Amino acid sequence: MPYCHVIFTIPEPLKPLALQNQRLVYGLLFRAVSQTLLEIAADPRRLGAQVGFLAVLHTWTQNLLLNHHS
């Protein structure tokens, strides 16, 4: 089954805000990610379909440095 791996990253200037307001910022991130994926996939010029997806929050790099992305 074909799949697509997409990464959404919080801009660098917002990372301190995300660290201090995790519930709010990560909630907004997941809402923006889901709305974006659903809208782009539904566009008949692109895929023209309803899609399902799995979203995972990664907050650290392999070196254990802070890196917010979904």
Side-chain angles (χ1 to χ4, degrees):
M1 171 170 287
Y3 72 94
C4 202
H5 182 138
V6 183
I7 298 173
F8 293 81
T9 303
I10 294 176
E12 194 67 37
L14 295 180
K15 288 183 180 181
L17 180 67
L19 186 59
Q20 293 193 6
N21 299 283
Q22 293 179 26
R23 185 178 299 264
L24 173 67
V25 173
Y26 297 152
L28 291 170
L29 174 64
F30 277 101
R31 188 174 314 132
V33 166
S34 64
Q35 290 175 351
T36 300
L37 291 174
L38 292 171
E39 183 177 329
I40 289 175
D43 185 339
R45 294 172 297 161
R46 291 193 162 73
L47 188 57
Q50 287 185 324
V51 295
F53 51 89
L54 175 69
V56 177
L57 176 65
H58 293 273
T59 54
W60 303 98
T61 66
Q62 286 182 321
N63 299 334
L64 297 180
L65 300 174
L66 196 57
N67 182 28
H68 314 274
H69 63 279
S70 169

